[in-house]
Amino acid sequence: MDSNRESSPGTPPKALLATVRRILGPLVRLFIARQVTFPQLAELLKQVYVAEAEREFALDEKKQSASRIHLLTGVHRKDVRRLRGAAVTDEAPPKTVSLAGQIIARWTADPRFVDEKKRPIPLPRQSDKEPCFEELVQAVCKQDVRTRAVLEELVRLRVVDVVGGEVRLLMEAFVPEKGLEEKIYYLGRNVADHIAAAANNVQGGEPPFPERSVYYGGLSDDAVAELKDMGTESGMEVLQRVNRRALELKKSTKGKGRRRMNFGLYFFSEPVQDREEDGHGA
């Protein structure tokens, strides 16, 4: 008998529990480092269980009851009643994330702000005759903002530099060197979407989302460094192509579409204690 299969309707697959533990390992290391205690996490998990059961597992045309949520989640009825409808933590991105991300996306995709090789061009701070940084900010913000304040914030985040009156883009994707709030936001958005895509595929969602990787063990430090550089360079090329096309499509719908997408890239390496398989994964 397959040990990973459910032995009864109430028993989850052992393989799933092992996978959950593997996923939680890096998160728990982060939690401990940032003083998130187990009681805090346990309370948060109760909130998430109740919210997801209420939102995703309601029966057709029937109001979800506290008893059914209890049966689905194992959360005590009194906690279900307490947590139902509880205010959800604001998941809006920090203003610096929203602004910096949009400016980089526009600067690397809009034909007015790139050269013939699709590379972002240096922009004068102001100009009536050529594309300039002020025009870029106005195209993104769509409201009355001080271009100087935006520039100062982007310089602080090391997104741009100012040389001889020109504003130059230092990165073609927003990976903040400073600002814990910004880094935490991207952790939540990107990891949640990656897991959502993989979970959809495990559940047999059709059509499946692309979710692929290349894995090798038994590599030297130099080999990993070369592969990281290769993956970063080729990955950024793909991201920029998707970015340019996404901007074109958003303009064509005038921002009236009701769906979102997230296409990502990651690379990870670490030393291993035991020899792992020298294979590659899809």
Side-chain angles (χ1 to χ4, degrees):
M1 180 177 179
D2 186 349
S3 61
N4 287 330
R5 298 186 63 182
E6 295 180 352
S7 57
S8 68
T11 304
K14 290 182 179 179
L16 178 58
L17 294 178
T19 293
V20 170
R21 189 189 188 289
R22 185 171 187 175
I23 292 171
L24 286 175
L27 286 174
V28 169
R29 290 198 296 272
L30 175 63
F31 296 157
I32 295 173
R34 293 294 171 177
Q35 294 82 51
V36 178
T37 65
F38 174 75
Q40 290 172 318
L41 179 60
E43 176 65 16
L44 183 59
L45 278 172
K46 287 181 183 179
Q47 295 176 22
V48 174
Y49 263 92
V50 170
E52 293 296 322
E54 189 161 29
R55 183 178 64 184
E56 299 291 338
F57 294 88
L59 298 175
D60 292 341
E61 300 180 356
K62 289 185 179 181
K63 185 177 179 180
Q64 190 76 297
S65 68
S67 293
R68 186 165 187 272
I69 292 176
H70 164 68
L71 290 173
L72 287 170
T73 66
V75 176
H76 197 282
R77 288 181 179 83
K78 69 177 183 179
D79 288 325
V80 172
R81 289 191 290 268
R82 174 174 61 86
L83 295 171
R84 291 186 77 177
V88 178
T89 303
D90 185 10
E91 295 181 354
K95 291 183 178 180
T96 52
V97 165
S98 179
L99 181 60
Q102 290 181 68
I103 284 178
I104 292 173
R106 175 77 63 151
W107 199 340
T108 57
D110 193 314
R112 293 175 296 171
F113 306 119
V114 298
D115 60 21
E116 65 279 0
K117 294 184 178 180
K118 308 296 185 183
R119 296 175 301 193
I121 60 175
L123 299 173
R125 296 179 65 166
Q126 293 179 316
S127 177
D128 295 328
K129 299 180 181 180
E130 58 183 329
C132 65
F133 183 74
E134 184 176 55
E135 178 187 354
L136 172 62
V137 172
Q138 291 174 350
V140 168
C141 295
K142 306 294 185 183
Q143 70 244 14
D144 185 23
V145 297
R146 294 178 57 204
T147 302
R148 179 178 177 180
V150 172
L151 179 58
E152 290 174 349
E153 181 62 17
L154 295 182
V155 169
R156 182 188 74 84
L157 293 170
R158 295 188 56 79
V159 172
V160 304
D161 194 9
V162 181
V163 179
E166 286 187 332
V167 184
R168 301 188 178 189
L169 186 64
L170 297 178
M171 57 177 68
E172 296 188 15
F174 185 42
V175 183
E177 295 182 10
K178 299 181 179 180
L180 179 63
E181 185 180 9
E182 290 84 3
K183 294 179 182 179
I184 288 175
Y185 169 75
Y186 279 112
L187 168 68
R189 190 194 70 178
N190 294 342
V191 174
D193 283 351
H194 190 165
I195 292 176
N200 170 82
N201 296 346
V202 169
Q203 292 288 80
E206 291 292 341
F209 288 110
E211 203 259 332
R212 299 286 185 267
S213 69
V214 175
Y215 172 86
Y216 275 85
L219 297 172
S220 67
D221 290 346
D222 289 343
V224 168
E226 177 184 336
L227 292 169
K228 180 181 178 181
D229 290 342
M230 178 183 178
T232 300
E233 181 179 356
S234 57
M236 284 303 303
E237 291 175 359
V238 174
L239 289 174
Q240 292 301 342
R241 289 206 306 271
V242 173
N243 178 44
R244 288 191 292 270
R245 183 56 180 155
L247 181 61
E248 293 171 354
L249 293 171
K250 185 167 184 176
K251 286 181 177 179
S252 70
T253 60
K254 295 181 171 52
K256 295 181 180 179
R258 303 303 302 168
R259 295 187 67 86
R260 72 178 184 90
M261 57 77 67
N262 192 4
F263 177 70
L265 170 70
Y266 71 92
F267 184 98
F268 179 75
S269 69
E270 66 176 351
V272 293
Q273 299 299 322
D274 301 318
R275 180 175 177 81
E276 295 192 8
E277 67 273 19
D278 295 335
H280 60 279

